[in-house]
Amino acid sequence: AATMALRGILIDRLRQEPRTLRYLQEHLMPGLRTLAEISVRGIYVEQSTLDSITESAKQDAGRAAALLPVENPNSQPQIAKWLYEDAKLPVPKRTPGGAPCTDEETIHRLARTFPQAKQVIDYRKHAKNLSAYLLPTRGWLNASTDGRIHPEIRAEGTETGRISSRFHTVPRDPDVRSIYSAPPGRALIQVDASQIEARLVAWTAAGKPETAAAATASGG
C-alpha cells in the first residue's frame, strides 16, 4: 500500500527528469525483471555431487581439526593463544581492539617460520565450505519443491551497484562450484568477456546493430 501511494509522486518527479526516467525504463526495470526470472527458475544442483563433496569436506575438516592443539579450532582466542603464547611467535598485526590477529594474511606470514600455522588455513577452508556453501545448499534443497535453489538476488543491496545474494561471495573452491551444474540435456558455460562494459556502450552508441556489418555501416 505504501509503495502504491508513493508511485504517483515518484512518477511525477521522474517525468520531470526524462534522462532518469529513460534509465529506469530501459535499463533498471528490465534488469530487475531478468533477476526475478533467474530467481524463479532457480539454480540446478547436482545433488549426488553435493552429498559426496559435503562428506569429503566433513572428513577433511575433522582431520585438519585433529592436527590443531586447541579444543575449539573455530575459536580465534584459542588459535591466538597457541600461536603467540604457546609457540611464542611474534605478533605481526593486531585487531582494532588490540587482540593479536589470526586472519589469513597473518597466518601465512607466521607460516614462513612456523609451518604448523598452515594447519589453521587448511581447517578454515573446509569449515567455511561446509558452513557457507555446502550445508546451507542442502538445507535450501530440502525446502525446495523442484530440486533447485531459488536465491534472493538484489540489485540495490550494494553501494557499488553490483548485484548481491545470500552468498556473500562466489565460492572459489572448484569442488564447491561443481555442485552448481546444468540439468541433463543442458550445458553450463562460463564466459569472461573482455571489456564488456565498453563494448556494450559502443554497441548502444551505434544504435544497437544486430550484425557486425550493420555496425560497420553505422560507423561503429
Side-chain angles (χ1 to χ4, degrees), residues 6-106:
L6 287 170
R7 182 178 182 278
I9 298 174
L10 295 177
I11 287 294
D12 289 341
R13 290 183 180 180
L14 284 170
R15 285 171 178 162
Q16 298 173 19
E17 301 180 25
R19 292 183 62 185
T20 303
L21 180 59
R22 182 179 177 186
Y23 169 79
L24 175 69
Q25 293 174 333
E26 297 186 10
H27 174 75
L28 186 58
M29 294 308 297
L32 291 174
R33 294 189 187 99
T34 299
L35 292 178
E37 291 172 1
I38 293 173
S39 182
V40 169
R41 185 181 303 116
I43 300 173
Y44 179 81
V45 176
E46 186 60 55
Q47 299 199 37
S48 60
T49 303
L50 169 63
D51 293 338
S52 174
I53 292 177
T54 300
E55 185 59 32
S56 295
K58 288 179 179 179
Q59 295 176 5
D60 291 337
R63 284 192 290 266
L67 296 175
L68 292 171
V70 297
E71 182 177 350
N72 180 8
N74 293 316
S75 170
Q76 293 192 23
Q78 291 186 26
I79 295 294
K81 180 180 181 301
W82 168 52
L83 294 172
Y84 302 119
E85 295 183 22
D86 300 342
K88 301 188 184 305
L89 297 175
V91 180
K93 187 172 65 172
R94 292 184 178 273
T95 67
C101 274
T102 63
D103 59 15
E104 184 173 349
E105 177 189 359
T106 301

Side-chain angles (χ1 to χ4, degrees), residues 103-123:
D103 59 15
E104 184 173 349
E105 177 189 359
T106 301
I107 296 298
H108 280 299
R109 291 175 61 181
L110 295 173
R112 296 172 188 171
T113 56
F114 189 67
Q116 298 93 314
K118 288 186 177 180
Q119 296 166 0
V120 177
I121 300 295
D122 188 36
Y123 168 77

Side-chain angles (χ1 to χ4, degrees), residues 133-182:
Y133 305 115
L134 300 174
L135 296 179
T137 298
R138 170 47 64 193
W140 297 329
L141 284 174
N142 290 342
S144 174
T145 59
D146 60 1
R148 291 171 176 254
I149 60 174
H150 299 270
E152 177 189 3
I153 306 174
R154 300 181 294 272
E156 71 290 341
T158 64
E159 294 181 359
T160 61
R162 292 176 178 268
I163 61 175
S164 60
S165 72
R166 57 176 52 149
F167 283 158
H168 65 283
T169 184
V170 176
R172 294 179 293 177
D173 192 302
D175 288 337
V176 177
R177 285 187 177 219
S178 69
I179 69 175
Y180 309 104
S181 183

